């Protein structure tokens, strides 16, 4: 479990750093970014928020555009942003932006050629937290959040691992991937034609199973181009209402799918996670 | 003076928008971004901070990475970010990242082939403010700021136009371009071999002329790769001391040349400008 330092930038008194490592889960080199708040420099151990990005993103989008470091520095929370898929010349890919490299969908692929590397679910649930907790001054308190495909990842991973995460949140998540074009394309390729195997990665389905609860916050912009066809927050709202799941869904007039939306509300998410992590 | 709408994103209750227009100064289409704080939606006119970006940037870098909208929304300040040069197939260019398109240096070129389009000084001082004040709900109160090449632009433009700007600030500015490699290469190409024509675009020289004062704030990271060879803040500090110019130069341990540095201190700059604009 060695990691290689890629870059460092001082940010709000703490440090944004990038590392790469040979992943035993995805069988390729993976890069991730971590923000260590100033509290770490004075010897404190801090909890970790895992951030999962959306289609086409790397570890960089959130760290550069969300403006989260200011609040993480105030609250004393580390943020870890993995890449959105395995990558490299030897890793399978597709011409579409919504399949293959940059589009791992936070699942374990079972179908060739994807099954050789595309195990982002295991990577985020197991390998990455173990690596982070071995190498950085962090506690085992964890929260998880993400955007779009990464919002789907954050919610499904928290729903399936309530013991691992104190809280989960999402911006513009793909709520019901078994029923939308992005999800159906990806799940068919990664998981095959048997749709019963898809359900384990569908937030609306998992919430209807009414598992052990994880407090959740979801923000959705109402001028999001992908709202009805891909994201389907109304299906999420219905599942939450039927099961009384502790998920707050906020809908925001005028906001779109971009990081301008995320930056506008990321402070609320960090304060929400800080409160859950403190309980 | 017509402008064409390119994009809109809601941000912190206000709007980030991009426009393009046929510039009569640079004789090509120019794109700019404007952040209109929420106060504009309720009919108020607000002051404007002009932001000049550095080498290789467009109107997008600052708007996506600095996290300034949060504070601009609170203070009721619009932010305008022009491109860093004329662009297009018919515009002269160079293979280097530090000359030609993306590297306009906020001057009026006098040498062929650059003199046909490279008039970023006149564009920022005259055409852009007139355009902004004709099309948007803003007052004629202006401030100016920028990064690196854009820090050089902000300081030199304010020094030469104290009646136009209430205040100026910069991150990591090229303080003494007549004496550093970036500046000497650009000035030789744009202005020619006669170095007496260069002095009008050199902050250290202009401050030594002790003109009408504009309050200024400059932040510089001490782990900036370009610190000694290109930026030369020590020459600025010396000029300010000798002339008693009202410029505060802050130097920050550990920070580099990136937007992680800018984001960490942009709030101070906006509050500095808001205070000067209110006086």
């Amino acid at each position: 479990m060695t990691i290689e330092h890629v870059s460092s930038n001082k940010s709000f008194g703490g440090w944004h750093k990038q590392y790469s490592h040979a992943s035993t889960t995805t069988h390729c080199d993976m890069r991730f970014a971590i923000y260590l708040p100033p509290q770490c420099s004075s010897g404190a151990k801090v909890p970790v928020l895992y951030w999962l990005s959306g289609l086409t993103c790397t570890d960089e989008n959130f760290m550069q555009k969300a403006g989260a470091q200011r609040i993480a520095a105030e609250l004393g929370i580390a943020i870890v942003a993995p890449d959105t898929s395995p990558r490299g010349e030897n890793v399978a890919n597709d011409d579409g932006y919504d399949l293959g490299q940059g589009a791992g969908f936070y699942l374990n692929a079972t179908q060739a050629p994807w099954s050789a590397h595309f195990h982002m679910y295991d990577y985020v649930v197991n390998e990455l937290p173990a690596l982070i907790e071995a190498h950085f001054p962090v506690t085992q308190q964890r929260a998880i959040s993400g955007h779009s495909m990464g919002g789907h990842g954050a919610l499904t991973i928290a729903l399936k691992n309530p013991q691992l995460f104190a809280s989960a949140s999402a911006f513009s998540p793909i709520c019901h991937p078994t029923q939308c074009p992005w999800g159906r394309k990806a799940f068919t390729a990664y998981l095959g034609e048997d749709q019963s195997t898809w359900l384990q990665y569908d937030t609306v389905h998992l919430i209807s199973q009414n598992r052990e609860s994880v407090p959740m916050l979801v923000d959705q912009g109402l001028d999001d181009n992908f709202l009805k066809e891909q994201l389907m927050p109304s299906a999420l709202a219905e599942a939450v209402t039927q099961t009384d799941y502790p998920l707050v869904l906020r809908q925001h007039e005028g906001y779109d799918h971009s990081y301008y939306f995320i930056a506008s509300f990321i402070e609320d998410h960090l304060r929400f996670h800080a409160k859950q992590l403190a309980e």
Side-chain angles (χ1 to χ4, degrees), chain A:
Chain A
M1 288 222 303
T2 60
I3 58 176
E4 191 180 338
H5 176 256
V6 175
S7 75
S8 292
N9 310 90
K10 196 168 183 181
S11 168
F12 287 95
W15 289 91
H16 164 261
K17 298 184 179 215
Q18 290 177 301
Y19 292 88
S20 72
H21 68 110
S23 167
T24 56
T25 307
T26 65
H27 306 292
C28 65
D29 285 343
M30 296 290 293
R31 193 175 73 187
F32 67 86
I34 184 167
Y35 177 69
L36 294 165
Q39 290 83 350
C40 294
S41 306
S42 38
K45 287 192 168 191
V46 298
V48 181
L49 173 66
Y50 290 86
W51 173 270
L52 307 182
S53 282
L55 289 166
T56 78
C57 291
T58 68
D59 64 290
E60 294 188 336
N61 304 65
F62 179 79
M63 292 294 188
Q64 293 181 352
K65 296 183 176 178
Q69 294 90 347
R70 178 181 63 88
I71 316 139
E74 178 200 323
L75 299 172
I77 297 176
I79 304 176
V80 171
D83 204 343
T84 52
S85 79
R87 292 187 195 266
E89 280 182 21
N90 300 321
V91 174
N93 206 357
D94 184 89
D95 288 340
Y97 73 95
D98 52 1
L99 186 66
Q101 297 185 31
F105 271 86
Y106 306 102
L107 50 73
N108 294 328
T110 57
Q111 306 297 303
W114 310 107
S115 51
H117 297 281
F118 283 74
H119 300 282
M120 288 300 290
Y121 177 84
D122 279 349
Y123 179 73
V124 171
V125 171
N126 298 311
E127 185 176 5
L128 186 61
L131 196 75
I132 295 298
E133 288 160 24
H135 286 280
F136 299 97
V138 299
T139 67
Q140 292 190 321
Q141 296 171 285
R142 306 172 200 94
I144 191 163
S145 185
H147 173 231
S148 195
M149 175 183 76
H152 142 76
L155 299 182
T156 54
I157 284 173
L159 283 159
K160 295 171 76 169
N161 300 278
Q163 77 291 353
L164 289 183
F165 297 98
S167 49
S169 75
F171 289 87
S172 332
I174 303 172
C175 297
H176 206 8
T178 60
Q179 303 301 320
C180 78
W182 277 341
R184 295 183 67 85
K185 176 180 176 180
F187 288 5
T188 302
Y190 294 139
L191 304 172
E193 300 285 348
D194 177 2
Q195 300 192 18
S196 70
T197 67
W198 298 6
L199 294 172
Q200 62 181 311
Y201 298 116
D202 185 290
T203 294
V204 167
H205 172 74
L206 292 170
I207 283 188
S208 74
Q209 304 299 295
N210 213 354
R211 292 148 180 259
E212 189 184 333
S213 293
V214 177
M216 295 186 176
L217 172 63
V218 174
D219 277 327
Q220 176 62 56
L222 291 175
D223 273 14
D224 188 321
N225 283 337
F226 304 113
L227 187 66
K228 289 193 179 155
E229 190 188 2
Q230 303 282 13
L231 306 178
M232 301 185 176
S234 55
L236 177 64
E238 194 178 316
V240 164
T241 306
Q242 286 184 356
T243 56
D244 212 17
Y245 200 91
L247 182 153
V248 174
L249 170 61
R250 308 191 305 183
Q251 307 200 60
H252 303 273
E253 198 90 40
Y255 286 91
D256 62 21
H257 202 65
S258 73
Y259 266 88
Y260 291 106
F261 171 49
I262 297 172
S264 298
F265 296 99
I266 190 68
E267 179 163 359
D268 293 352
H269 285 239
L270 268 83
R271 294 196 188 283
F272 166 76
H273 291 297
K275 194 173 162 219
Q276 303 302 328
L277 289 163
E279 281 184 358

